[in-house]
């Protein structure tokens, strides 16, 4: 058992753990990325498209908790649908979406002080 664990650690060391998402926990985008286990660049890309922190969090909650991908969600937003409407269509009720969003944003506020 110890040899197996040692082997895995050595393998990960030499491979550089390249499958782990890259994120900087000193930035808001990095913290958001860490919450959703995604690359920080995905968050930065959404920010560059004009979305604020709350909107980014809701996009990621919906895409993580449903069959909708980010591209599909963004298309719905462009069509004028609210995040609550999109969440509802994807099977996420408004209250759950808001509670999860509030929790993540509250966590972000702790780190940005």
């Amino acid at each position: 058992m110890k040899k197996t664990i040692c082997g895995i650690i050595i393998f990960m060391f030499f491979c550089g753990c390249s499958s782990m998402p890259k994120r900087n926990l000193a930035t808001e985008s990095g913290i958001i990325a860490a919450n959703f286990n995604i690359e920080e660049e995905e968050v930065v890309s959404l920010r560059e498209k004009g979305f604020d922190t709350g909107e980014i969090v809701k996009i990621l909650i919906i895409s993580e908790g449903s069959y909708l991908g980010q591209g599909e969600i963004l298309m719905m937003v462009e069509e004028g649908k609210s995040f609550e409407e999109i969440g509802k269509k994807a099977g996420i009720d408004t209250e759950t979406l808001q509670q999860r969003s509030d929790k993540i944003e509250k966590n972000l506020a702790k780190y940005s002080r």
Side-chain angles (χ1 to χ4, degrees):
M1 181 71 163
K2 287 182 183 180
K3 287 183 182 181
T4 304
I5 293 173
C6 240
I8 292 170
I9 292 171
I10 290 170
F11 176 76
M12 289 174 66
F13 175 78
F14 284 111
C15 291
C17 299
S18 61
S19 64
M20 293 191 60
K22 294 180 176 89
R23 50 194 170 244
N24 178 357
L25 295 179
T27 66
E28 184 175 78
S29 294
I31 295 169
I32 293 169
N35 272 284
F36 293 95
N37 199 29
I38 60 172
E39 297 278 342
E40 185 175 357
E41 289 78 28
E42 285 185 59
V43 178
V44 171
S45 173
L46 291 169
R47 197 169 300 285
E48 288 171 349
K49 290 177 181 161
F51 294 103
D52 66 28
T53 299
E55 294 169 330
I56 291 169
V57 168
K58 286 180 181 175
I59 290 168
L60 296 173
I61 290 169
I62 294 168
S63 81
E64 180 184 71
S66 74
Y67 61 90
L68 295 174
Q70 285 182 31
E72 294 169 299
I73 295 167
L74 297 179
M75 284 176 34
M76 291 178 178
V77 169
E78 287 175 13
E79 293 170 357
K81 293 192 173 158
S82 71
F83 292 108
E84 290 71 21
E85 291 173 307
I86 297 168
K88 198 173 225 177
K89 178 180 176 11
I92 301 170
D93 68 24
T94 303
E95 187 177 323
T96 301
L97 178 62
Q98 193 59 53
Q99 286 175 347
R100 178 120 192 261
S101 178
D102 289 346
K103 182 178 177 182
I104 291 169
E105 288 186 64
K106 184 177 178 182
N107 189 28
L108 286 171
K110 280 194 253 180
Y111 291 105
S112 61
R113 288 184 190 162

